[in-house]
Amino acid sequence: MSASAIFVLDLKGKVLICRNYKGDVNMAEIDHFLPLLMQQEEEGLLCPVLSHGNVHFMWIKHSNLYLVATTNKNSNASLVYSFLYKIVEVFTEYFKELEEESIQDNFVVVYELLDELMDFGFPQTTDSKILQEYITQEGTKLEVAKSKVPTTVTNAVSWRSEGIKYKKNEVFIDVIESINVLVNANGSVMSSDIVGSIKLKTMLSGMPELRLGLNDRVLFALTGRDKGKTVVMEDVKFHQCVRLSRFDSDRTISFIPPDGESELMSYRINTHVKPLIWIESVIEKFSHSRVEIMVKAKGQFKKQSVANNVEVRVPVPSDADSPKFKTSTGTAKYVPEKNMVVWTIKSFPGGKEFLMRAHFGLPSVENNELEGKPPITVKFEIPYFTVSGIQVRYMKIIEKSGYQALPWVRYITQSGDYQLRTNV
Amino acid sequence: MTDSKYFTTTKKGEIFELKAELNSDKKEKKKEAVKKVIASMTVGKDVSALFPDVVNCMQTDNLELKKLVYLYLMNYAKSQPDMAIMAVNTFVKDCEDLNPLIRALAVRTMGCIRVDKITEYLCEPLRKCLKDEDPYVRKTAAVCVAKLHDINAQLVEDQGFLDTLKDLISDSNPMVVANAVAALSEIAESHPNSNLLDLNPQTINKLLTALNECTEWGQIFILDCLANYSPRDDRESQSICERVTPRLSHANSAVVLSAVKVLMKFMEMLPKDLDYYGTLLKKLAPPLVTLLSAEPELQYVALRNINLIVQRRPEILKHEMKVFFVKYNDPIYVKLEKLDIMIRLASQANIAQVLAELKEYATEVDVDFVRKAVRAIGRCAIKVEQSAERCVSTLLDLIQTKVNYVVQEAIVVIKDIFRKYPNKYESVIATLCEHLESLDEPEARAAMIWIVGEYAERIDNADELLESFLEGFHDESTQVQLQLLTAIVKLFLKKPTETQELVQQVLSLATQDSDNPDLRDRGYIYWRLLSTDPVAAKEVVLAEKPLISEETDLIEPTLLEELICHIGTLASVYHKPPSAFVEGSRGVQHKRLTSSAGSGESVESPDTGSAAVSEAPPTVIPSQGDLLGDLLNLDLTPPTSTGPPPTTAPGMQLGAMDLLGGGLDSLLGGDIGGSPAMGTGFGAPPAAMPASFNAPISGGLDDLFDLGGGGGLTMGTYIPPKSVWLPAMKAKGLEISGTFVRRSGVIQMEMTLNNKAMSVMSDFAIQFNRNSFGLAPAGPLQILTPISPNQSIEAALPLSTVGPVMKMEPLNNLQVAVKNNIDVFYFSCQYPISMLFLEDGKMERQVFLATWKDIPNENESQFQIKDCHLNSDAASNKLQGSNIFTIAKRTVEGQDMLYQSMKLTNGIWVLAELRVQAGNPNYTISLKCRAPEVSQCVFQNYETVLKN
């Protein structure tokens, strides 16, 4: 069905740790993995699936590791990749950083986790909070706790344990919207969308039932209320705690939340948004002598709002030298290892316009290598504001002990994949 | 404190030291020692020698230690099977431990010890664990059944574990249900005929309930299992779809894709005019788009699947072009897939945007991506007619960049554009010729040569250009050689006077100096053609080519259907059926979509109906090979179809005479010493070919001509025996029996008229009622002499198909009136529908593919032909006699799939897929036709032809 075995390799292809789940693929096959990968890379045809004979390798790369699943069946590939990323998530929660050293430093726990995460190729319990209840890093401390299976493992509510207690019951709700924009060199917006995410930090006792109310247009239409601004969400994805069939039938978002931090839902909105930070650039390249760059940034959002930590990243040729900058505000810095100028503006009020000029020298002997045309990218964060106008109308919290709990809401808009193509 | 210290002890005598530590009395020390052993194992050292010592540590109440020992066991038990027995007791004991974690651990590990001797000891503990009170143990035990089955299937069956596993589907705990489903699916996969997953509405209902409650992975197991179910009717389909759609909102991409698989499959069952069908289509687009924000590997899987979905149901994503625009930082595999989908979605509405994007991509630096972008521009030109001009000018702009690989790609696609829009863009040829020198890739060279040959009359120095290629003929790839040969022959036929030498040169290069059989044979074919009948040669070589049109790289419809059933899996990523890359999947049933309209009679919904009418069946850009193949195919058609007799082309005649008189004779003469017989052609096989080729070649040519000549047109035609149509009792003593025959394209009604009355019969005449295909007598019934009593007479009546039409029931029913001097009699008879199959009913492969896809699924009907003992080749031959032509044959898993076509006299095409499994006398046939009414008749005809 999915993986026959899972391997963690270092960048040289050496197996750091592995687990054979099904025994139907020779474990030595992994030796073919890295040579195949190198070969593909050389041919410029890199692909997430490699095959050698009848063995297929599905792999991802994380920091200095390759995580590889092998199979000789028609596996569910999407399940395998989801699972590999889940392993990364679980290991990261356990070891803070997932890298070569952390695997070696924790090989006993890694084995234990691999045993619990998957059985005979079927992913099992992969919720790191629940796993941490019975697989812990400090072997000694655990003897008592480990003698019982947390009922959560097999509960219908497999993401929250019973008996959680807080003195003060609170939920923090972060509504974060990322703006993805692709602008053509001639200044026309090719595509733009909003990817929103609602994150929770739950500090609630017991098994609370939560209901989240948004100004969702479909919901408003269903309930016949048409006051105020509403938002059309193109596609909504939920954490497994949300009752999907309930949402499907009456758009109610009801759930028992996982404890602590989690992403409750994400949504996508297709409406055309005006790029919040508009960039106009003139990049002139005089072969063998110099590059002159002029970038104008304009805040196209409300005057009351302020964009923080704005970074405009402008590509420059790899052989450029002797940078000179002039900015009307903020600071510009040349980052040669990434072939770009980063112009940073700590605080960028709406409606304002700023300018940056840069000058680079070019060597008289031209670089023969063809260079791509990387786009200008922009990073920013605008607090207290969502582009879509989405609002949390209420968060109802009901627990059988009847405590009062407070929801806190915070809105942030930030840049997502924000690219403006250039002519050079 | 980290575990890395365990890796550092690499001194001599390590094993010995470890042995001592393992046998230490101190618990802590023991545990440390086991950790060291595991660490050594992890770095690949062989520590199997410690087996007994490690197993001795197994009996411990320290869970961590126990887990490590188990891990060791899993790794080394296979190499030490005898000693592994030592562990059995502990397993059995652990399976009864008070702690469910230990019970589960034991049952989980047991299954991983793939030692035959041990397995039988494990049955009892497993049985207990399957009934354990703790769901954690039960869900682990469920998986263990699959493990055990993998080791010893017979044992599992004998022990009745499969039934217990089936019972677990009704377990109260959703995790247990999910694992049971996963285990059963896994077992079923290796035993396709076991009918293990006996899915019925009750179990489906249980699964759907568990779907709401189990983990994300469990949801995937259940969805994948549901996808194998065939609902009884459209209502059940709909209700399952309704309960599956909420999964589209799951955060896990794999859950979403598995849900998409179920929906795409069950959607086939839904009538298209149903409101819900439209709703479902709308619901599918947003989650598919959202998959593109997942991690790149998941995006890749999603894109490969979207590629399939777009081919199967283009309407779902037709408005979502923008999301497939390529981002600078997309990995190359994502970029290439996006590009492919962009082309599939390109339409008049969005073409401007698409072209702007493609042009942008074409100036990137990644060579493969740029190439594909340039090719995409060409495909757009062919797909969206309105954009052709802009595409061509964009391509010319790109050629001006002089980037070598861009120019080459551009030339390859421009060749296709020429074929799609003849006489429109040839003005650019001059520009193309400027870049002749820079072409170094075979495909580009071949394309350019094709262009020069095809448009030789417009290119003044065509001969020089081609000659320049000829110099290094033997260094060229076959593709280029073949193209060069054809191009020069074309040039010669167009400008015979100036290019004789050139054609002689290329013919001799191809036939004498090359050892490539394709090239040689084509050389000989041209040679013979030119030497025997230059006019015919012109007709053949310069024949008008069919236009090519939009759909490119379409996946064969049956394969596409199969792949849709495998959405999310490796098969969908590779775009190959699982049998193509999974060993031992022989005999596994190919999954297919089941469509709603099994009857084939259902009325099409208005929208699809009109679409089918307005869209001409798309033909397909032939790949290079097919393009060349076209020429050869032409050779095989009967001579009658090659056009007007030579006299109508006096201008050509001159050139031809010249050719016969001078050029080729001398060419051949060089070899054979001026034999005068050479020029004369077909009848005499060449007396003196270059010695080494002599026998095989001439034989080959003879065969070729046999095919082309009148030989065997009626070969193998099945003629039903005569049956009594009009009994004497009903017709005052006149008995008519008869049958239908198709000979050389003429339909005849052959009758025996038997006079059983006492008086002479005369003045016969015949008339038909209006019928389905407009059959009518082509002339009067020719019975010249009266029939005396007890005399019988044979009469053959040629039929035409231009009579008045009226639909009959059954379709092939014919009502006939026969008059004689006594009275008028009426009878009806049924003609085999193969009478109406035309001799030119062989469809082009590519056209077939496109047409098959184009015909809506409701028009497909499936039939079984029982007790037929022919193999597929024999069947194919037999059917060919009735003008049912086999276009392609594919063998999958010992099952032969024949793709066949036939064309009815009224121009209706019937497409068939005949599946023949060796050793199985039951054939399955699927028929697709725009007029599905004929399917029943066609099927009956297959049956009669195959069984006689």
Side-chain angles (χ1 to χ4, degrees):
Chain A
M1 163 159 264
S2 69
S4 172
I6 301 278
F7 296 83
V8 181
L9 311 182
D10 67 8
L11 290 182
K12 293 188 194 108
K14 195 184 89 185
V15 179
L16 295 176
I17 208 160
C18 62
R19 174 66 203 258
N20 187 354
Y21 288 106
K22 295 188 69 177
D24 54 357
V25 174
N26 187 344
M27 295 296 274
E29 288 283 345
I30 194 68
D31 297 341
H32 299 294
F33 170 74
L34 203 71
L36 277 171
L37 188 78
M38 308 285 270
Q39 189 193 335
Q40 274 203 350
E41 217 163 4
E42 237 161 68
E43 291 165 5
L45 297 166
L46 202 61
C47 178
V49 199
L50 306 174
S51 58
H52 180 263
N54 61 347
V55 181
H56 310 274
F57 304 98
M58 288 171 264
W59 62 279
I60 64 172
K61 193 176 167 189
H62 181 88
S63 66
N64 55 357
L65 299 173
Y66 291 110
L67 280 84
V68 188
T70 55
T71 182
N72 58 5
K73 298 264 154 56
N74 181 29
S75 300
N76 186 327
S78 53
L79 176 141
V80 173
Y81 291 117
S82 277
F83 180 71
L84 291 177
Y85 276 104
K86 194 57 123 178
I87 294 186
V88 172
E89 192 184 315
V90 171
F91 285 6
T92 312
E93 296 239 348
Y94 263 83
F95 316 130
K96 300 286 180 290
E97 294 287 331
L98 171 58
E99 52 186 22
E100 195 176 333
E101 295 70 33
S102 51
I103 294 285
Q104 276 187 346
D105 290 351
N106 300 285
F107 79 95
V108 175
V109 181
V110 171
Y111 274 128
E112 274 192 55
L113 285 173
L114 287 175
D115 199 37
E116 203 63 42
L117 286 168
M118 181 175 255
D119 193 8
F120 202 54
F122 307 122
Q124 300 291 310
T125 308
T126 54
D127 192 309
S128 61
K129 292 212 187 63
I130 305 309
L131 286 165
Q132 273 165 356
E133 287 180 27
Y134 65 112
I135 296 177
T136 47
Q137 299 191 67
E138 324 260 321
T140 41
K141 200 180 94 190
L142 293 175
E143 298 307 312
V144 193
K146 272 178 153 181
S147 61
K148 239 173 50 201
V149 194
T151 47
T152 334
V153 174
T154 49
N155 257 355
V157 181
S158 63
W159 54 89
R160 185 184 178 91
S161 298
E162 286 177 45
I164 295 170
K165 280 210 177 65
Y166 285 98
K167 271 191 195 148
K168 194 173 172 193
N169 290 299
E170 292 174 306
V171 195
F172 298 90
I173 307 165
D174 278 351
V175 180
I176 303 162
E177 287 192 344
S178 304
I179 314 297
N180 298 326
V181 178
L182 181 61
V183 181
N184 219 350
N186 60 17
S188 58
V189 178
M190 301 302 292
S191 66
S192 74
D193 62 5
I194 305 168
V195 176
S197 159
I198 297 185
K199 293 188 173 158
L200 297 183
K201 187 173 182 189
T202 315
M203 301 164 79
L204 297 172
S205 313
M207 284 299 224
E209 270 286 342
L210 271 57
R211 236 168 66 212
L212 174 68
L214 300 172
N215 54 342
D216 167 15
R217 182 164 309 165
V218 184
L219 174 66
F220 277 37
L222 274 178
T223 52
R225 122 219 290 284
D226 55 0
K227 283 181 283 182
K229 190 172 156 44
T230 54
V231 169
V232 185
M233 294 182 282
E234 185 80 5
D235 188 37
V236 194
K237 292 277 177 283
F238 290 108
H239 185 274
Q240 58 169 328
C241 67
V242 176
R243 295 177 184 96
L244 296 181
S245 36
R246 181 97 195 264
F247 179 77
D248 197 57
S249 64
D250 61 9
R251 301 289 279 195
T252 306
I253 303 170
S254 76
F255 56 98
I256 298 173
D259 189 42
E261 289 177 27
S262 59
E263 180 175 48
L264 178 70
M265 61 182 279
S266 63
Y267 54 89
R268 195 163 46 76
I269 298 177
N270 251 352
T271 47
H272 211 285
V273 281
K274 192 156 35 148
L276 296 178
I277 292 192
W278 183 249
I279 302 285
E280 279 170 36
S281 67
V282 180
I283 303 177
E284 283 178 299
K285 191 172 165 184
F286 303 92
S287 280
H288 315 300
S289 88
R290 62 187 195 280
V291 181
E292 283 175 5
I293 298 170
M294 197 276 292
V295 177
K296 192 165 79 181
K298 190 178 172 190
Q300 305 194 102
F301 46 91
K302 276 184 285 184
K303 289 214 167 79
Q304 306 91 293
S305 294
V306 173
N308 293 330
N309 303 321
V310 178
E311 274 184 31
V312 182
R313 298 150 176 242
V314 187
V316 293
S318 60
D319 51 358
D321 56 40
S322 38
K324 282 178 214 139
F325 306 110
K326 216 186 207 169
T327 58
S328 63
T329 190
T331 52
K333 206 178 136 196
Y334 177 40
V335 187
E337 63 272 21
K338 288 184 179 158
N339 299 323
M340 58 163 82
V341 178
V342 180
W343 176 24
T344 314
I345 303 162
K346 280 275 168 254
S347 161
F348 194 138
K352 283 271 158 42
E353 223 179 82
F354 298 117
L355 217 72
M356 189 266 291
R357 285 176 193 279
H359 180 286
F360 285 87
L362 284 178
S364 50
V365 181
E366 203 164 340
N367 189 354
N368 276 332
E369 255 173 60
L370 267 176
E371 282 182 35
K373 295 200 300 178
I376 296 179
T377 55
V378 185
K379 271 180 67 183
F380 59 85
E381 225 180 69
I382 307 173
Y384 317 114
F385 160 75
T386 56
V387 202
S388 67
I390 200 166
Q391 275 174 354
V392 175
R393 291 174 46 241
Y394 59 80
M395 170 74 98
K396 290 193 176 143
I397 302 161
I398 300 162
E399 216 277 336
K400 55 176 188 283
S401 67
Y403 59 72
Q404 288 295 310
L406 289 173
W408 305 93
V409 189
R410 201 160 54 153
Y411 298 97
I412 296 181
T413 291
Q414 63 184 28
S415 57
D417 207 344
Y418 203 100
Q419 305 188 353
L420 302 101
R421 292 178 183 156
T422 63
N423 262 325
V424 178
Chain B
M1 180 198 86
T2 73
D3 298 342
S4 52
K5 61 173 192 277
Y6 299 109
F7 292 99
T8 55
T9 54
T10 47
K11 23 185 174 155
K12 276 187 191 166
E14 191 189 358
I15 296 280
F16 183 76
E17 223 167 81
L18 280 174
K19 208 178 179 86
E21 283 176 41
L22 283 170
N23 291 313
S24 155
D25 297 331
K26 289 191 189 124
K27 261 192 187 174
E28 247 344 272
K29 202 158 193 184
K30 250 189 191 173
K31 195 159 114 187
E32 291 297 291
V34 175
K35 278 190 185 177
K36 280 183 202 161
V37 172
I38 299 291
S40 302
M41 183 182 97
T42 304
V43 296
K45 280 184 214 155
D46 184 12
V47 282
S48 59
L50 296 167
F51 198 89
D53 311 281
V54 177
V55 172
N56 272 337
C57 304
M58 196 171 163
Q59 290 206 38
T60 170
D61 39 14
N62 182 318
L63 190 58
E64 197 185 2
L65 178 56
K66 195 180 274 291
K67 280 186 179 173
L68 291 172
V69 176
Y70 277 4
L71 188 65
Y72 179 91
L73 266 174
M74 280 188 269
N75 263 294
Y76 289 113
K78 206 145 192 205
S79 58
Q80 311 263 347
D82 294 321
M83 286 203 264
I85 301 272
M86 292 163 49
V88 167
N89 271 335
T90 321
F91 277 129
V92 175
K93 232 176 90 193
D94 281 354
C95 281
E96 291 176 8
D97 197 279
L98 282 175
N99 183 344
L101 271 179
I102 294 191
R103 295 202 295 275
L105 180 66
V107 80
R108 185 161 64 216
T109 312
M110 262 166 35
C112 297
I113 295 180
R114 306 173 63 86
V115 175
D116 244 337
K117 279 188 204 159
I118 293 197
T119 33
E120 46 195 290
Y121 294 103
L122 304 181
C123 292
E124 279 322 301
L126 176 58
R127 198 186 313 283
K128 274 187 203 139
C129 287
L130 280 166
K131 304 243 153 92
D132 201 281
E133 52 171 20
D134 195 304
Y136 181 75
V137 180
R138 288 204 301 279
K139 75 150 186 147
T140 313
V143 176
C144 187
V145 175
K147 292 178 187 170
L148 210 56
H149 189 271
D150 197 35
I151 305 168
N152 190 339
Q154 195 57 45
L155 183 73
V156 168
E157 274 159 47
D158 295 345
Q159 295 279 330
F161 285 143
L162 293 182
D163 294 321
T164 324
L165 201 52
K166 279 190 217 168
D167 293 343
L168 287 184
I169 290 188
S170 316
D171 198 279
S172 57
N173 186 293
M175 280 282 275
V176 178
V177 178
N179 273 5
V181 168
L184 282 170
S185 306
E186 178 85 17
I187 295 171
E189 208 168 288
S190 54
H191 290 71
N193 304 320
S194 57
N195 199 25
L196 247 182
L197 271 165
D198 177 25
L199 295 175
N200 54 48
Q202 287 76 40
T203 42
I204 292 293
N205 196 32
K206 282 176 197 154
L207 294 183
L208 287 168
T209 311
L211 189 61
N212 286 326
E213 295 177 337
C214 60
T215 65
E216 47 200 324
W217 314 111
Q219 294 182 21
I220 299 172
F221 308 154
I222 292 177
L223 289 168
D224 285 355
C225 173
L226 278 178
N228 290 324
Y229 177 63
S230 308
R232 288 160 308 171
D233 51 30
D234 51 336
R235 284 181 56 193
E236 196 186 3
S237 276
Q238 180 174 345
S239 87
I240 295 175
C241 288
E242 279 168 354
R243 294 176 70 178
V244 167
T245 37
R247 297 300 120 198
L248 295 175
S249 300
H250 201 288
N252 187 327
S253 304
V255 176
V256 176
L257 262 185
S258 285
V260 169
K261 165 164 54 193
V262 175
L263 296 174
M264 280 296 288
K265 197 175 166 204
F266 288 10
M267 209 151 88
E268 299 286 333
M269 298 273 297
L270 300 177
K272 285 196 173 162
D273 45 1
L274 198 70
D275 286 346
Y276 181 71
Y277 178 82
T279 317
L280 196 53
L281 278 184
K282 282 201 201 97
K283 279 191 173 174
L284 276 168
L288 287 172
V289 171
T290 305
L291 287 175
L292 301 183
S293 3
E295 289 82 1
E297 292 82 3
L298 282 161
Q299 271 186 58
Y300 175 70
V301 176
L303 285 166
R304 292 293 282 173
N305 280 286
I306 288 172
N307 200 328
L308 299 172
I309 292 168
V310 165
Q311 290 186 58
R312 182 76 195 167
R313 301 211 174 272
E315 61 272 35
I316 295 178
L317 287 166
K318 67 178 171 199
H319 298 303
E320 303 289 348
M321 172 62 88
K322 283 184 173 181
V323 302
F324 298 103
F325 286 174
V326 171
K327 300 245 173 75
Y328 181 75
N329 42 347
D330 282 333
I332 180 69
Y333 50 81
V334 168
K335 283 184 178 171
L336 294 176
E337 285 310 312
K338 281 187 174 174
L339 203 50
D340 216 40
I341 295 170
M342 279 173 68
I343 303 164
R344 293 202 195 283
L345 291 178
S347 67
Q348 201 185 336
N350 55 27
I351 193 72
Q353 259 189 332
V354 173
L355 268 182
E357 279 294 297
L358 293 176
K359 200 175 171 187
E360 181 82 36
Y361 304 160
T363 58
E364 281 286 341
V365 283
D366 190 313
V367 177
D368 292 289
F369 181 57
V370 171
R371 282 175 182 275
K372 202 158 179 178
V374 176
R375 210 164 269 228
I377 296 173
R379 279 167 71 181
C380 285
I382 287 162
K383 193 169 176 198
V384 186
E385 190 164 352
Q386 295 80 355
S387 75
E389 195 143 358
R390 294 173 64 178
C391 294
V392 171
S393 74
T394 307
L395 287 169
L396 286 177
D397 286 352
L398 291 171
I399 287 177
Q400 296 310 334
T401 63
K402 299 212 162 65
V403 178
N404 186 290
Y405 52 86
V406 173
V407 174
Q408 311 213 38
E409 286 298 326
I411 286 179
V412 172
V413 289
I414 285 179
K415 176 204 71 189
D416 288 337
I417 296 178
F418 283 168
R419 277 207 62 190
K420 165 79 181 183
Y421 309 108
N423 304 319
K424 236 176 146 177
Y425 301 111
E426 284 78 0
S427 54
V428 310
I429 290 175
T431 322
L432 301 184
C433 289
E434 288 165 21
H435 296 272
L436 217 55
E437 307 286 292
S438 63
L439 308 180
D440 54 10
E441 289 163 20
E443 201 179 355
R445 288 173 83 83
M448 191 65 220
I449 293 169
W450 183 86
I451 292 171
V452 175
E454 186 67 18
Y455 300 99
E457 68 273 24
R458 305 170 189 230
I459 306 172
D460 294 337
N461 61 341
D463 49 343
E464 283 169 35
L465 294 178
L466 292 176
E467 201 172 355
S468 70
F469 281 103
L470 211 51
E471 280 161 20
F473 188 79
H474 290 297
D475 301 328
E476 299 285 358
S477 71
T478 310
Q479 188 184 10
V480 178
Q481 290 176 333
L482 287 169
Q483 201 55 264
L484 198 50
L485 171 62
T486 303
I488 292 178
V489 172
K490 282 183 191 165
L491 172 70
F492 171 66
L493 290 168
K494 288 176 179 180
K495 302 180 178 173
T497 48
E498 308 132 52
T499 56
Q500 277 192 27
E501 226 172 279
L502 197 58
V503 80
Q504 285 166 18
Q505 215 182 331
V506 77
L507 284 176
S508 94
L509 280 171
T511 54
Q512 294 173 27
D513 301 340
S514 166
D515 42 13
N516 179 317
D518 289 340
L519 184 62
R520 214 163 55 203
D521 288 359
R522 191 181 298 179
Y524 276 117
I525 289 167
Y526 281 140
W527 193 337
R528 305 250 76 203
L529 211 51
L530 291 172
S531 62
T532 37
D533 189 350
V535 180
K538 194 164 188 175
E539 295 292 345
V540 170
V541 179
L542 303 181
E544 201 170 300
K545 277 163 276 300
L547 291 186
I548 53 177
S549 74
E550 63 264 41
E551 293 306 324
T552 44
D553 302 344
L554 285 178
I555 293 178
E556 193 188 350
T558 38
L559 177 60
L560 181 61
E561 288 185 16
E562 191 178 352
L563 293 179
I564 290 285
C565 299
H566 289 292
I567 283 178
T569 68
L570 279 179
S572 74
V573 175
Y574 289 139
H575 289 182
K576 284 182 194 160
S579 52
F581 61 92
V582 178
E583 239 175 39
S585 60
R586 226 158 263 277
V588 173
Q589 253 191 332
H590 287 266
K591 294 186 182 174
R592 289 209 51 183
L593 298 173
T594 35
S595 87
S596 56
S599 62
E601 295 280 343
S602 73
V603 185
E604 287 180 355
S605 67
D607 60 333
T608 56
S610 60
V613 174
S614 62
E615 279 171 34
T619 45
V620 176
I621 296 187
S623 68
Q624 195 65 26
D626 286 337
L627 193 101
L628 297 172
D630 284 351
L631 285 165
L632 286 175
N633 286 343
L634 280 176
D635 289 351
L636 293 171
T637 48
T640 47
S641 68
T642 55
T647 45
T648 56
M652 186 57 214
Q653 198 75 335
L654 267 180
M657 294 310 287
D658 186 43
L659 168 69
L660 285 172
L664 276 178
D665 258 6
S666 65
L667 173 67
L668 289 165
D671 263 324
I672 59 165
S675 159
M678 258 335 282
T680 55
F682 284 167
M689 287 291 180
S692 57
F693 302 140
N694 193 356
I697 292 297
S698 57
L701 285 174
D702 277 354
D703 288 348
L704 189 65
F705 295 135
D706 270 351
L707 258 180
L713 265 181
T714 55
M715 169 188 68
T717 310
Y718 167 68
I719 302 166
K722 280 184 183 169
S723 56
V724 176
W725 285 341
L726 181 70
M729 276 167 51
K730 284 197 178 166
K732 305 189 175 161
L734 174 66
E735 184 189 83
I736 302 181
S737 51
T739 184
F740 294 86
V741 188
R742 184 180 181 97
R743 282 201 181 98
S744 313
V746 180
I747 309 170
Q748 286 204 14
M749 188 166 169
E750 295 192 343
M751 290 176 286
T752 308
L753 286 78
N754 198 340
N755 183 354
K756 295 197 169 170
M758 306 301 282
S759 56
V760 174
M761 293 179 180
S762 63
D763 305 331
F764 284 93
I766 192 162
Q767 216 168 16
F768 293 175
N769 194 1
R770 290 190 290 168
N771 55 71
S772 313
F773 293 93
L775 280 175
L781 182 60
Q782 300 278 342
I783 297 173
L784 303 171
T785 50
I787 310 176
S788 351
N790 274 330
Q791 190 197 352
S792 71
I793 201 165
E794 305 286 335
L797 178 69
L799 305 182
S800 75
T801 52
V802 291
V805 174
M806 181 176 77
K807 192 176 167 187
M808 300 298 289
E809 191 55 45
L811 212 58
N812 56 343
N813 199 18
L814 183 65
Q815 294 176 340
V816 185
V818 173
K819 185 190 88 106
N820 63 9
N821 57 335
I822 300 166
D823 204 347
V824 181
F825 311 107
Y826 301 93
F827 64 87
S828 64
C829 55
Q830 293 179 9
Y831 49 91
I833 199 159
S834 61
M835 290 307 109
L836 305 170
F837 293 162
L838 294 177
E839 281 68 22
D840 64 346
K842 183 163 185 172
M843 210 178 231
E844 287 272 327
R845 255 178 111 121
Q846 305 287 345
V847 179
F848 180 87
L849 274 181
T851 313
W852 183 277
K853 183 185 168 247
D854 207 42
I855 298 178
N857 278 336
E858 335 38 343
N859 284 11
E860 181 173 349
S861 358
Q862 222 181 56
F863 304 95
Q864 291 277 335
I865 300 172
K866 295 212 158 84
D867 296 326
C868 194
H869 295 279
L870 299 167
N871 65 27
S872 60
D873 289 334
S876 169
N877 281 337
K878 223 166 177 179
L879 291 166
Q880 171 129 13
S882 299
N883 290 340
I884 299 175
F885 298 98
T886 302
I887 292 163
K889 175 178 164 181
R890 199 158 67 93
T891 305
V892 183
E893 308 301 334
Q895 178 166 276
D896 290 335
M897 323 261 262
L898 298 176
Y899 297 92
Q900 302 176 317
S901 70
M902 55 223 93
K903 184 179 170 189
L904 291 167
T905 45
N906 56 359
I908 291 178
W909 285 92
V910 182
L911 276 53
E913 182 202 79
L914 184 65
R915 273 179 279 167
V916 181
Q917 180 117 39
N920 182 349
N922 297 341
Y923 293 3
T924 312
I925 178 162
S926 304
L927 295 171
K928 261 189 153 182
C929 179
R930 289 191 198 279
E933 302 86 342
V934 304
S935 296
Q936 181 66 30
C937 272
V938 173
F939 156 65
Q940 283 165 0
N941 189 63
Y942 262 91
E943 207 164 29
T944 15
V945 172
L946 286 172
K947 289 189 180 171
N948 289 288

